[in-house]
Amino acid sequence: MSHELRTPLNSIIGLTELISDDTTTFPKTKDRLKIVLRNGKKLLALINNILEFSKIESGKFEIIKSDFIISEFMNDVFQAMEPLVTEKDLQLSIVFENNRDLLIHSDRHKLEQIILNLISNAIKFTEIGGIKINVNDTLNNTLRIDVIDT
């Protein structure tokens, strides 16, 4: 099922990127292609989430841990969500409460899915103001990430 869903969508996304990057494409067409591309990527994320849930239900859920820097991770999250926030004329900020960077050992992909879902929901239900992400490491080696919207 994974192959049947992802392959056509990846083809649509790839061709949309090619046309959008073509110098002969009109600016208005490029703007429309950005919308197609963004929504194609949203749909791909939804498909991936559905497939992930089916893995959980069937007991084939895998956690793949790796080391990564939290500030780089949060920067990637910011870059992914910034167009959606800008589109709704909202603000997005990330605050590192302890002003220090951390090396994290976790499943980066799964953590990213969780954070992106929380931010997506915050964007969807926020009309005015913005979304603030607080990153805090507590005394007992626990990472706390709060997603706060207005």
Side-chain angles (χ1 to χ4, degrees):
M1 167 121 46
S2 168
H3 179 74
E4 287 80 7
L5 292 172
R6 288 183 182 142
T7 300
L9 189 52
N10 279 325
S11 176
I12 291 168
I13 291 170
L15 289 172
T16 302
E17 286 174 333
L18 285 174
I19 296 168
S20 182
D21 291 342
D22 189 333
T23 57
T24 62
T25 305
F26 293 109
K28 187 152 182 100
T29 303
K30 284 187 180 204
D31 290 341
R32 291 175 178 156
L33 287 170
K34 284 180 187 176
I35 294 168
V36 171
L37 187 60
R38 184 177 58 247
N39 288 322
K41 288 181 178 181
K42 279 185 189 178
L43 184 56
L44 184 59
L46 286 172
I47 290 169
N48 287 335
N49 285 341
I50 290 167
L51 294 170
E52 201 68 29
F53 289 135
S54 68
K55 284 181 186 177
I56 292 169
E57 289 175 353
S58 68
K60 296 179 181 173
F61 185 73
E62 287 184 60
I63 295 178
I64 303 168
K65 291 185 176 184
S66 63
D67 292 334
F68 56 95
I69 306 291
I70 192 66
S71 63
E72 293 171 5
F73 170 80
M74 293 307 297
N75 185 53
D76 291 345
V77 167
F78 184 89
Q79 297 298 322
M81 300 310 290
E82 187 177 31
L84 297 175
V85 172
T86 302
E87 183 178 289
K88 284 193 70 177
D89 199 28
L90 300 171
Q91 300 295 316
L92 178 63
S93 65
I94 300 174
V95 176
F96 291 89
E97 302 237 343
N98 291 339
N99 289 327
R100 62 178 182 212
D101 218 348
L102 301 169
L103 179 67
I104 305 299
H105 183 72
S106 185
D107 189 319
R108 181 185 171 108
H109 177 70
K110 301 244 182 334
L111 181 61
E112 185 176 45
Q113 282 181 308
I114 293 165
I115 300 298
L116 291 177
N117 284 341
L118 290 171
I119 296 169
S120 292
N121 285 339
I123 292 168
K124 185 186 330 181
F125 296 108
T126 302
E127 296 300 324
I128 298 170
I131 295 97
K132 179 181 174 185
I133 304 161
N134 285 340
V135 180
N136 188 11
D137 62 304
T138 62
L139 296 175
N140 59 354
N141 280 341
T142 301
L143 179 66
R144 179 177 173 143
I145 300 174
D146 297 311
V147 178
I148 305 160
D149 62 58
T150 54

